[in-house]
Amino acid sequence: MLTIDSLLRTSSFVNGFWVDAENGDTFGVVNPADGTELARVSDLSPADARSAVVAAHDAFPDWSARLAEERASLLMQWHDLMMENADDLALLMTLEQGKPISEARGEVAYGAAFVKWFAEEARRAYGDVIPSHDTDKRILALRQAVGVVLTVTPWNFPIAMITRKAAAALAAGCTVISKPAEDTPLSALALARLSELAGLPPGVFNVIPTSRPAEVVEALMADTRIRKVSFTGSTEVGKIIMGQAAPSVKRVSLELGGNAPFIVFDDADVDVAARDVLASKYRNAGQTCVCANRIFVQDGIYDAFLDAYRRLHTGLRVGPGVDEESDIGPLINQEAVDKVVRLLDGATQQGARIVLGGGLIDGAAIGGGSHAPGNTFFAPTIVEGVRDDMALASEEIFGPVSAIYRFSTEEDVIRRANDTPFGLAAYFHARDNARIWRVSEALEYGIVGVNTGTISTPVAPFGGMKESGFGREGSRFGMDQYLEIKYVCIGGLSR
Ligand code: SIN
């Protein structure tokens, strides 16, 4: 059992109280690095979760009416506490999620930075005074908080995916019910504890862990008091949530699956490109929606790139996230391993060739020995000769597998890169200025990284096109998702 001080919370946080499930049910949170149970957390039923709706609904009038400055300073206090407790938050995250501790520290800072960003933005939710069409009238556009917001977030970023929704919503004056992933509720509950210490009023930020997400979310989506849902997760579940929003016409933001192309053109700096592909591909063991999923390399530099890319792998260490030396941690669970194995097997059976890795390792280093039961440490893998009609090309791998594709012309690679229902992130390396503009504009993706493999920051709008969803998180656009525009027409001015 885990015992890191007061940040370890196992009850839900509703209306400022730590509350267990009515029937006392709990579920286990497992460390993916060794399969041990870290803690048991309250397992909320749909009826339990409804108490959070009452709390958030009751808290809304006061919270939304407060001065922006007041909300901003409470959020800033929350940010500061996150940073003061960054080491404990990172350890908790690594234990329940598996990512290397250095990445967990990075995520705590990334998550806290959203809180700071939106604390600053709270004061700038400006409306407009519009030149009137009539001398007798004045026209205003006010921006007002949407209401109670439900956030539904995944296990791959247990803190940052919550704060980039919740901080924007809270800054706008909304109240929040956060439903964390069942694999990683401890980080969310630690955030709730810090929100309590920061002085956020009861009911303003609530966290409801459950092992029955589909049932609980369905019940909450049917509640007309919830006015907005923001979801990060699979496209499949996103479509269900979008359907559930229809009867009460809830506002929806969806950040869904990706199938990111990373294109390396002939004019790229091959070594720099190889380094950036590696950074994009193996972040969080390949378990992000923006990881390079298809690596397209142009004919003229194909061999040089593969050589450089392969050489970079010799320095990678795979092991438990708590080990400071680890670059890549375990996959989240056996299901994740099974998916990667299925995609790789399918590709090799259809003629793809494994260049490096290709299976589980013992958690020590690449090339390590035995396959312990429950081991989810997957070796960084390079596979070439992949074709666009293989499942490896059309599904999100969510594991440390670099699938390399060859291409000849710019026109061809743009067509292939766009030939997917997804449109979250895309990357390319090139030096020709005209090509940089042309390709950036031609890629049908919400995010395009040019000569970089890292694009995530609170100051930029994060979000997708097509079946990768809609709505933007972070940046000055992030708060729009939680604000209604109200048109006020003041007449009778010339009477
Ligand atoms: C995600 O994987 O959904 C988010 C990744 C990020 O914020 O960089």
Side-chain angles (χ1 to χ4, degrees), residues 110 156-157 161 164 232 255 283 288-290 456 462:
Y110 180 46
N156 60 346
F157 290 88
M161 295 306 98
R164 77 179 179 193
T232 294
E255 198 257 274
R283 179 173 173 225
T288 89
C289 301
V290 293
S456 304
F462 190 106

Side-chain angles (χ1 to χ4, degrees), residues 18 54 121 132 145 159 179 197 261 271 313 342 404 412 451 478:
W18 296 94
V54 175
E121 285 295 286
S132 183
I159 284 183
K179 204 290 297 162
L197 293 174
D271 290 324
H313 284 66
R342 172 177 62 78
I404 319 271
D412 176 45
N451 295 331

Side-chain angles (χ1 to χ4, degrees), residues 1-10 18 39 81 84-92 95 186 189-191 193-194 197:
M1 291 287 267
L2 182 71
T3 51
I4 27 174
D5 88 358
S6 63
L7 279 191
L8 179 64
R9 284 289 190 267
T10 55
W18 296 94
L81 285 169
E84 278 163 32
N85 290 276
D87 286 344
D88 280 355
L89 285 174
L91 179 57
L92 200 55
L95 288 171
L186 298 177
L189 292 168
L191 272 185
R193 171 68 181 140
L194 294 176
L197 293 174

Side-chain angles (χ1 to χ4, degrees), residues 266-289:
D266 276 347
D267 61 330
D269 178 323
V270 168
D271 290 324
V272 177
R275 192 198 63 205
D276 286 348
V277 173
L278 194 92
S280 164
K281 180 68 249 183
Y282 296 129
R283 179 173 173 225
N284 200 10
Q287 303 173 110
T288 89
C289 301

Side-chain angles (χ1 to χ4, degrees), residues 131-378:
S132 183
H133 63 299
D134 186 333
T135 51
D136 186 49
K137 292 183 172 133
R138 295 295 179 270
I139 297 180
L140 309 174
L142 309 182
R143 292 168 86 213
Q144 293 185 323
V146 163
V148 177
V149 173
L150 171 65
T151 69
V152 182
T153 49
W155 49 263
N156 60 346
F157 290 88
I159 284 183
M161 295 306 98
I162 295 177
T163 55
R164 77 179 179 193
K165 298 176 191 311
L170 295 170
C174 298
T175 51
V176 173
I177 301 164
S178 163
K179 204 290 297 162
E182 56 276 25
D183 294 296
T184 56
L186 298 177
S187 298
L189 292 168
L191 272 185
R193 171 68 181 140
L194 294 176
S195 77
E196 184 185 23
L197 293 174
L200 261 70
V204 164
F205 180 64
N206 307 275
V207 177
I208 51 163
T210 179
S211 70
R212 294 183 276 161
E215 250 180 89
V216 166
V217 170
E218 186 181 9
L220 297 187
M221 290 299 290
D223 194 311
T224 53
R225 289 169 293 188
I226 293 181
R227 294 307 319 137
K228 154 102 195 181
V229 60
S230 180
F231 170 71
T232 294
S234 71
T235 295
E236 192 191 346
V237 174
K239 288 178 182 178
I240 296 171
I241 288 181
M242 201 168 161
Q244 290 169 342
S248 55
V249 196
K250 292 190 201 323
R251 292 172 56 136
V252 182
S253 294
L254 299 173
E255 198 257 274
L256 308 177
N259 183 2
F262 200 129
I263 306 167
V264 186
F265 286 101
D266 276 347
D267 61 330
D269 178 323
V270 168
D271 290 324
V272 177
R275 192 198 63 205
D276 286 348
V277 173
L278 194 92
S280 164
K281 180 68 249 183
Y282 296 129
R283 179 173 173 225
N284 200 10
Q287 303 173 110
T288 89
C289 301
V290 293
C291 280
N293 210 53
R294 295 170 293 157
I295 302 161
F296 291 101
V297 185
Q298 199 159 9
D299 283 332
I301 47 135
Y302 186 89
D303 293 335
F305 174 85
L306 200 59
D307 200 40
Y309 191 57
R310 187 188 172 132
R311 265 187 282 112
L312 289 176
H313 284 66
T314 53
L316 284 180
R317 292 196 63 82
V318 181
V322 288
D323 182 344
E324 293 279 353
E325 303 292 304
S326 298
D327 299 302
I328 298 180
L331 294 183
I332 187 73
N333 52 32
Q334 188 58 39
E335 210 182 318
V337 175
D338 293 345
K339 178 178 186 189
V340 173
V341 169
R342 172 177 62 78
L343 292 175
L344 265 183
D345 282 354
T348 49
Q349 278 157 23
Q350 290 175 275
R353 189 176 74 82
I354 305 273
V355 177
L356 191 72
L360 292 168
I361 65 166
D362 66 359
I366 292 176
S370 64
H371 293 182
N375 171 11
T376 60
F377 291 92
F378 206 91

